[in-house]
Amino acid sequence: MKKTFLLLMTMTTLLMGACTQSQETGLVKSGEIWLDTDSNMINAHGGGILYHEGTYYWYGEYKGDSTYWNPKVPHWECYRTEAGGVSCYSSKNLVDWKFEGVVLPAEQNDSASDLHFSNVLERPKVIYNDVTKKFVMWLHVDSHNYAKAASGVAVCDTPTGQFEYLGSMRPNGAMARDMTLFKDDDGKAYHIYSSEENSTLYISLLTDDYLRPSGRFTRNFPGAYREAPAVFKHQGKYYILSSGCTGWDPNQAQYAMADSMLGEWKVMGNPCSGKDADITFYGQSTHVLKVGENSYMAMFDRWNKTDLINSRYIWLPLTFKGDSIDIAWQDAWSVSTLK
Ligand code: DGJ
């Protein structure tokens, strides 16, 4: 009896190890179930990571637990969950993540609020302003049928909330959906967003407090329909990783390079290699994290469109050969290789 119990326990442990991130060894297993330090599935989709004073903070969409199809959006498969707000997890090692709570909660009562659970709250990103000492969050806020196409802004004195919501706008008078933020070495910050019905990617310099567009912006890749932008800088060059525009379904990633954040941007091609590289390993870009002086990690969402809360995360090292980047599929890899 005791033997059978021990055997069962060993098999369960082995199975769990095979199916989840291996926290003992610091291994990242893309596409597998990822549990937080309380053993709950991590719920931080379309997100990004901020490194601040020795801790990583992962912010993402806190998806509701049931997915429905919104028939009022006829031109694409509009699967949705109720918006849960923006979650935050913290970690010292990029593998063990502690749930810090929902730092920008959805509004339960006021249906006129941007943050009402019936609306769309996607792709939150947070950067730190060294002058105002505020953590500044931007996110895509939309109506239930994606017609509002706006960006929301929230601020907080601490990384773990609660963030104060300041409101939304169409930045530079233009539509804004998928988005990211990029803070440059000189402290200037940029808001990068899909605009003009997603056909054109806008890069907009923010005001010094990061709360508004400064009015200086460029229109990039007109007519190319790029979504899911992720921006980073390496040895003085700027890079944008992005996806094509196919709803929740995967497509081929592409990256572009520039000498200045506002452009001109040169399209470089698909950075992915290995198994399923032509469809971004069934994923869609969301963020590229710089780790230490010279290492980068590319983050993707593998959407599960009919059960969105059960979407998975794909995290892979991003390496350079000269100016060219490579993101190679690996079933499992150790974060200790990021130095
Ligand atoms: C693709 C975007 O990248 C996602 O954030 C989400 O808005 C889906 N489209 C909705 O179909």
Side-chain angles (χ1 to χ4, degrees):
M1 179 67 184
K2 203 171 161 195
K3 261 192 186 158
T4 322
F5 177 73
L6 273 175
L7 189 70
L8 259 169
M9 284 300 284
T10 317
M11 280 175 65
T12 312
T13 313
L14 279 175
L15 247 156
M16 285 291 284
C19 296
T20 61
Q21 313 300 315
S22 179
Q23 295 174 345
E24 303 78 44
T25 53
L27 288 184
V28 173
K29 296 178 179 173
S30 290
E32 305 294 2
I33 289 171
W34 200 335
L35 304 180
D36 67 15
T37 51
D38 295 324
S39 300
N40 297 313
M41 267 175 81
I42 294 178
N43 190 347
H45 308 278
I49 292 178
L50 168 73
Y51 182 66
H52 186 76
E53 294 181 348
T55 303
Y56 296 98
Y57 297 94
W58 176 3
Y59 300 91
E61 300 157 18
Y62 195 68
K63 296 272 188 209
D65 51 14
S66 70
T67 301
Y68 64 94
W69 178 63
N70 181 355
K72 291 190 186 137
V73 184
H75 23 278
W76 86 94
E77 284 185 307
C78 190
Y79 287 103
R80 294 276 317 282
T81 71
E82 285 185 351
V86 177
S87 55
C88 176
Y89 294 79
S90 67
S91 174
K92 295 280 184 196
N93 62 8
L94 289 171
V95 179
D96 306 302
W97 290 95
K98 174 175 180 273
F99 184 49
E100 297 285 357
V102 177
V103 294
L104 183 69
E107 164 64 40
Q108 297 306 316
N109 301 310
D110 178 9
S111 58
S113 164
D114 286 349
L115 304 182
H116 191 253
F117 65 81
S118 62
N119 289 333
V120 173
L121 304 176
E122 289 182 345
R123 298 192 176 267
K125 303 290 177 305
V126 175
I127 50 177
Y128 180 66
N129 189 304
D130 301 286
V131 178
T132 63
K133 312 274 181 229
K134 300 273 185 201
F135 294 84
V136 181
M137 178 191 294
W138 283 66
L139 72 161
H140 168 200
V141 298
D142 228 316
S143 40
H144 68 284
N145 60 356
Y146 283 85
K148 185 179 173 92
S151 302
V153 184
V155 284
C156 193
D157 292 331
T158 63
T160 52
Q162 298 268 298
F163 278 71
E164 180 195 355
Y165 187 64
L166 302 180
S168 67
M169 83 211 73
R170 277 197 168 179
N172 304 300
M175 298 172 97
R177 292 201 178 105
D178 279 13
M179 54 136 281
T180 194
L181 297 175
F182 174 70
K183 179 178 163 185
D184 208 343
D185 307 325
D186 59 4
K188 291 198 183 311
Y190 299 83
H191 178 214
I192 300 97
Y193 54 96
S194 305
S195 190
E196 301 179 16
E197 295 291 4
N198 295 341
S199 70
T200 302
L201 195 73
Y202 278 42
I203 301 178
S204 164
L205 176 68
L206 295 178
T207 50
D208 289 347
D209 57 11
Y210 304 167
L211 301 181
R212 290 181 311 279
S214 69
R216 225 177 131 206
F217 68 96
T218 51
R219 296 172 63 251
N220 302 274
F221 320 114
Y225 288 89
R226 304 310 299 173
E227 281 195 317
V231 172
F232 59 103
K233 187 181 186 180
H234 175 67
Q235 295 183 347
K237 304 263 187 223
Y238 297 84
Y239 293 84
I240 292 180
L241 176 65
S242 67
S243 76
C245 213
T246 51
W248 300 110
D249 296 334
N251 54 58
Q252 191 167 108
Q254 186 182 84
Y255 75 104
M257 202 175 94
D259 292 324
S260 139
M261 200 41 219
L262 291 169
E264 294 273 316
W265 288 88
K266 182 180 170 202
V267 174
M268 302 290 285
N270 179 8
C272 300
S273 63
K275 190 173 69 170
D276 302 316
D278 53 333
I279 47 165
T280 322
F281 323 113
Y282 290 94
Q284 187 182 29
S285 45
T286 186
H287 188 70
V288 173
L289 177 71
K290 186 171 187 177
V291 182
E293 280 309 295
N294 246 340
S295 293
Y296 300 83
M297 183 180 79
M299 299 165 58
F300 305 86
D301 295 284
R302 183 178 283 175
W303 300 116
N304 184 343
K305 67 182 175 189
T306 55
D307 184 14
L308 281 164
I309 195 174
N310 203 13
S311 301
R312 302 289 168 79
Y313 312 102
I314 301 174
W315 290 7
L316 293 166
L318 179 155
T319 57
F320 283 88
K321 207 178 255 166
D323 283 343
S324 307
I325 68 176
D326 181 39
I327 305 168
W329 175 258
Q330 298 183 55
D331 291 332
W333 60 281
S334 168
V335 286
S336 66
T337 57
L338 299 172
K339 292 206 172 74

